[in-house]
Amino acid sequence: MARDLRQFLNLLEDRGQLRRITTPVDPYLEVSEIANRLLLGGGPALLFENVKGASMPLAINVLGTVERVCWAMNMEHPQELEALGDKLALLYQPRPPKTVSQAVEMGKALFDVVKAKPMRDLLPPCQQVVLKDEAVDLTQIPMLHVYPGDAGKVLTLGLMITKDPESGIPNVGVYRLQLQSKNTMTVQWLSVRGCSRHLRKAAEMGKKLEVAIAIGVDPLVILAAATPLPIDLSEWLFAGLYAGKGVHLAKCKTVDLEVPADSEIVLEGTITPGETAVDGPAGDHIGYYGGVNEAAPLLRFHCVTHRKDPIYMTTFSGRPPKEDAMMAIALNRIYTPILRQQVPEIKDFFLPMEGLSYKAAVLSIEKTYPGQAKRAALAFWSALPQFNYTKFVIVVDESINIRDPRQVMWAVTSKVDPVRDVFILPNNPFDKLDFATERPGLGSRMGIDATTKVYPETDRPWSEELVPDTDTAALVDRRWAEYGLGDLNLGDVDPNLFGYDIR
């Protein structure tokens, strides 16, 4: 399994999923324009080896397809991720085993936790070069200016590591940072995130908050950092569970924090509570420019360490498809067993990329009683923290393929009476970046019951769905080649043949 970025890039190249670009390119708009075209077409990862104004290469679109995200997790297909989700579900909300088989499964999961304990490297590759104080110059990193209306260059795929000033438990998150000067950046985060909580605690204690930014890490660690965890669990431990063995960590040079030992670049610094700067606007995942934050936390960096000949790994946000959407699709599979544990009646769920990976959800249930679809939607919103910001929940029968928009649309149009089956919850805490809401941070949710109705939901008899005759279908399967149609692969459907215009 690839254990650092370089090994993963080699894996992609061996599988024909990496292109090296030697032509000079500009990090101002040009790199993102090239990468975006590849993202839209499901193209390969890119390694720009000649970036203007920089001495290091730039890797982008590394996780630009679900297939490559699966490879990062040492898997081949998204379905395999649910087995990992089963393991995590046992640890996410452990329950006393009731049978011998459940006890065995719990024992295996606990043994995996032991194997996942982080390990320490005394001579880590990420500290082959050490720059301190006046030698720190963040402008040497080829950060991107992604959109013409952006306020400046941004760093978007670094792991921000902080530590709870009281408990000492680390938090690892991925946030957008904006370059302010050769040694300062601002950060854009939500107030509920772990790093934000740590800063508030540090302010109460009259301390600075120590920060490390790890850039160019094993993609698997990025996925672990993007997984919603209980507050008292470490992302390093989850990364070890993902990998099947502990992540190698290294103690920073100037702050009391640990970072992945094989990181390409590490930035070390502090945030002084109350010290802020203007951040934004910048292109965001919603598909618009985010607003200006007049008081964004300011990070001051006094040390940079890196590997010899480092590789800068980055990405950017925007209207899907983008790399964050690909990661979300894979994590969707991991969440599924955890969600089933919380809400057993939910058979499957899907967060479509076009719904910004969390704004719209489709649930399938085995319906057994009236009102069950509404109950499932309400339970979904409260099951995991990231579902708080889901605006639309569509509930369908388990016979519907929730990953086929044609089937979902048929269920909505054929099974829904808006007056009866649509319900709206007003005045919920909401994502401030969502410009559709009337007031920032406060919005509504909509549930749609697209299941087959049972009494007393309706007094009308529900007609039988049209399905092919099974015997005739089997006959046609057997004789398909005899008809002279054996060369037709009807499994590869071009949506544009059905009136869509997808480019």
Side-chain angles (χ1 to χ4, degrees):
M1 177 176 180
R3 296 308 304 141
D4 64 17
L5 174 61
R6 298 180 184 207
Q7 291 172 333
F8 188 65
L9 292 178
N10 289 337
L11 171 69
L12 296 185
E13 191 163 31
D14 290 342
R15 296 187 176 187
Q17 286 289 303
L18 176 72
R19 291 289 182 91
R20 295 177 180 268
I21 310 296
T22 58
T23 303
V25 293
D26 197 327
Y28 179 81
L29 304 182
E30 186 178 10
V31 169
S32 57
E33 175 65 23
I34 297 169
N36 193 48
R37 295 188 183 193
L38 270 293
L39 284 165
L40 291 171
L46 300 172
L47 185 64
F48 294 98
E49 297 180 330
N50 191 352
V51 183
K52 292 180 182 178
S55 59
M56 64 184 74
L58 182 155
I60 197 169
N61 197 17
V62 174
L63 298 173
T65 65
V66 174
E67 181 181 49
R68 295 203 290 273
V69 174
C70 289
W71 292 349
M73 304 289 287
N74 200 29
M75 298 177 182
E76 296 297 326
H77 305 289
Q79 293 86 341
E80 297 177 58
L81 296 168
E82 289 200 28
L84 176 59
D86 287 329
K87 181 192 303 182
L88 298 183
L90 291 174
L91 302 170
Y92 199 92
Q93 196 174 47
R95 300 172 181 175
K98 296 182 179 180
T99 65
V100 173
S101 61
Q102 289 179 355
V104 170
E105 290 302 315
M106 178 61 75
K108 289 180 180 178
L110 293 176
F111 180 65
D112 288 338
V113 171
V114 174
K115 292 192 300 181
K117 185 178 179 181
M119 295 174 279
R120 271 70 184 177
D121 277 15
L122 297 178
L123 297 172
C126 67
Q127 294 176 355
Q128 291 171 342
V129 177
V130 179
L131 305 170
K132 293 184 178 180
D133 301 327
E134 292 303 316
V136 172
D137 187 358
L138 304 180
T139 64
Q140 297 303 303
I141 299 173
M143 300 181 204
L144 298 184
H145 191 121
V146 181
Y147 299 103
D150 287 351
K153 295 181 177 181
V154 293
L155 191 158
T156 53
L157 206 56
L159 300 183
M160 176 179 285
I161 299 106
T162 59
K163 187 183 292 185
D164 189 301
E166 294 177 334
S167 67
I169 296 175
N171 181 84
V172 185
V174 182
Y175 309 102
R176 176 183 62 75
L177 296 104
Q178 179 182 311
L179 183 67
Q180 297 286 345
S181 72
K182 63 175 290 188
N183 65 349
T184 63
M185 303 182 79
T186 47
V187 61
Q188 185 68 31
W189 56 26
L190 296 174
S191 60
V192 297
R193 300 305 186 196
C195 293
S196 180
R197 291 196 304 270
H198 293 177
L199 181 59
R200 289 195 296 270
K201 285 189 177 183
E204 293 169 359
M205 300 168 69
K207 296 180 178 180
K208 294 183 179 181
L209 181 67
E210 293 184 326
V211 177
I213 311 293
I215 304 167
V217 301
D218 178 356
L220 180 144
V221 180
I222 296 174
L223 290 162
T227 303
L229 306 178
I231 293 175
D232 56 347
L233 285 182
S234 165
E235 284 83 1
W236 303 138
L237 185 63
F238 260 61
L241 287 169
Y242 282 3
K245 61 180 180 180
V247 175
H248 286 249
L249 298 177
K251 186 175 176 58
C252 289
K253 286 290 187 180
T254 63
V255 293
D256 186 22
L257 296 169
E258 293 178 315
V259 295
D262 289 319
S263 304
E264 294 291 326
I265 307 166
V266 176
L267 315 180
E268 302 179 12
T270 59
I271 304 177
T272 300
E275 187 175 15
T276 63
V278 178
D279 182 283
D284 215 292
H285 67 284
I286 300 292
Y288 305 96
Y289 288 102
V292 175
N293 185 349
E294 300 285 350
L298 184 72
L299 292 75
R300 292 189 177 275
F301 297 103
H302 51 260
C303 180
V304 174
T305 70
H306 62 78
R307 298 175 65 147
K308 294 178 181 177
D309 302 318
I311 299 171
Y312 175 62
M313 180 182 178
T314 188
T315 188
F316 56 95
S317 296
R319 186 174 174 178
K322 296 293 182 288
E323 288 187 68
D324 53 0
M326 298 302 108
M327 290 188 278
I329 291 172
L331 291 174
N332 187 161
R333 295 280 191 175
I334 297 175
Y335 298 154
T336 301
I338 299 174
L339 181 61
R340 288 195 194 113
Q341 178 175 281
Q342 303 262 26
V343 192
E345 59 208 285
I346 294 178
K347 297 301 179 182
D348 201 0
F349 88 107
F350 182 51
L351 301 169
M353 173 184 69
E354 295 78 8
L356 303 174
S357 302
Y358 71 100
K359 288 293 187 182
V362 185
L363 316 180
S364 64
I365 64 171
E366 181 184 4
K367 187 167 181 177
T368 58
Y369 59 86
Q372 188 177 7
K374 184 173 183 179
R375 180 189 182 281
L378 294 172
F380 171 83
W381 276 312
S382 59
L384 292 174
Q386 73 273 23
F387 299 153
N388 287 333
Y389 294 158
T390 301
K391 276 201 283 191
F392 305 100
V393 172
I394 302 171
V395 185
V396 299
D397 297 312
E398 62 177 334
S399 61
I400 298 295
N401 178 2
I402 60 175
R403 291 172 178 81
D404 184 342
R406 297 171 302 177
Q407 292 194 35
V408 174
M409 185 58 66
W410 174 80
V412 170
T413 53
S414 69
K415 298 177 184 287
V416 172
D417 175 15
V419 170
R420 177 192 62 201
D421 299 326
V422 175
F423 61 95
I424 295 176
L425 306 179
N427 299 323
N428 298 275
F430 230 63
D431 183 357
K432 290 184 179 180
L433 294 173
D434 192 328
F435 294 103
T437 60
E438 185 175 353
R439 288 173 287 176
L442 203 61
S444 59
R445 300 171 181 165
M446 175 186 286
I448 301 175
D449 177 2
T451 61
T452 302
K453 302 304 177 291
V454 298
Y455 181 81
E457 293 172 330
T458 181
D459 291 329
R460 294 185 64 185
W462 204 274
S463 187
E464 186 177 348
E465 290 186 16
L466 303 177
V467 295
D469 177 72
T470 54
D471 291 338
T472 304
L475 170 68
V476 171
D477 286 342
R478 292 194 303 269
R479 300 191 62 191
W480 192 251
E482 185 182 338
Y483 303 146
L485 302 175
D487 61 320
L488 297 180
N489 182 9
L490 301 183
D492 296 331
V493 180
D494 180 359
N496 293 327
L497 297 176
F498 297 94
Y500 295 97
D501 185 7
I502 299 176
R503 298 187 179 93

